[in-house]
């Protein structure tokens, strides 16, 4: 995971929105991502983008949020990639993929992100962290 990685090429489209730390926000972020990716001309990636946003936003909600602090979802489209970023205020809680037991309901989110994305990583911030994933357009 390269903590300093930025999207390749210039940003052609970009969207970001802050969400309150409530479970319904994950669904709102997922739907918004799917809609925007489709509107940006990449309907074939909309489903994968929605799943990645959902998994990263859920992790932010469960492990990264603090009372009264939002999490942010940012989408960036370049000529080569769709980059998804989810930022939260808890920089000390770094995400790590793990193998969940068969009877566990949770614990597979980053494995799903790892499977769908071409790359993913974590970038520290002054306050908090950003977990990002990139989908290649070609």
């Amino acid at each position: 995971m390269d903590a300093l990685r930025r999207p390749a090429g210039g940003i052609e489209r970009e969207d970001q929105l802050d969400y309150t730390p409530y479970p319904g926000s994950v669904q709102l972020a997922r739907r918004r991502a799917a809609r925007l990716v489709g509107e940006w001309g990449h309907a074939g990636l909309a489903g994968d983008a929605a799943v990645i946003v959902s998994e990263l936003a859920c992790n932010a909600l469960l492990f990264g949020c603090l009372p009264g602090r939002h999490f942010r979802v940012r989408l960036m489209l370049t000529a080569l990639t769709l980059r998804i970023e989810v930022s939260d205020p808890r920089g000390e809680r770094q995400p790590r993929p793990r193998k969940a037991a068969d009877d566990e309901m949770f614990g597979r989110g980053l494995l799903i992100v790892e499977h769908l994305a071409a790359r993913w990583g974590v970038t520290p911030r002054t306050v908090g962290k950003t977990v990002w994933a990139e989908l290649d357009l070609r």
Side-chain angles (χ1 to χ4, degrees), residues 22-71:
Y22 295 107
S25 294
V26 174
Q27 182 179 17
L28 293 173
R30 179 178 62 237
R31 287 182 178 169
R32 181 180 180 89
R35 180 180 54 79
L36 288 170
V37 172
E39 288 175 2
W40 293 350
H42 297 281
L45 292 178
D48 287 353
V51 170
I52 290 171
V53 166
S54 182
E55 295 300 336
L56 296 183
C58 188
N59 281 353
L61 180 69
L62 292 173
F63 308 114
C65 285
L66 297 168
R69 300 290 305 270
H70 294 88
F71 67 91

Side-chain angles (χ1 to χ4, degrees), residues 9-138:
I11 297 172
E12 296 179 1
R13 302 275 185 132
E14 182 175 12
D15 179 78
Q16 74 178 25
L17 190 63
D18 292 344
Y19 292 89
T20 55
Y22 295 107
S25 294
V26 174
Q27 182 179 17
L28 293 173
R30 179 178 62 237
R31 287 182 178 169
R32 181 180 180 89
R35 180 180 54 79
L36 288 170
V37 172
E39 288 175 2
W40 293 350
H42 297 281
L45 292 178
D48 287 353
V51 170
I52 290 171
V53 166
S54 182
E55 295 300 336
L56 296 183
C58 188
N59 281 353
L61 180 69
L62 292 173
F63 308 114
C65 285
L66 297 168
R69 300 290 305 270
H70 294 88
F71 67 91
R72 173 173 292 160
V73 176
R74 182 178 181 199
L75 303 175
M76 290 174 284
L77 181 69
T78 71
L80 302 174
T81 63
L82 172 66
R83 183 177 173 105
I84 298 162
E85 296 181 350
V86 177
S87 302
D88 66 58
R90 301 279 308 265
E92 74 280 6
R93 298 201 66 182
Q94 295 292 308
R96 288 176 181 71
R98 68 180 188 90
K99 183 166 174 50
D102 291 341
D103 61 345
E104 285 184 273
M105 286 183 60
F106 300 101
R108 295 169 185 83
L110 288 176
L111 295 175
I112 292 168
V113 170
E114 204 169 65
H115 176 75
L116 294 175
R119 293 160 295 286
W120 77 277
V122 182
T123 303
R125 298 175 36 181
T126 302
V127 175
K129 67 183 173 299
T130 297
V131 183
W132 56 266
E134 289 181 344
L135 296 168
D136 289 335
L137 301 182
R138 298 180 190 158

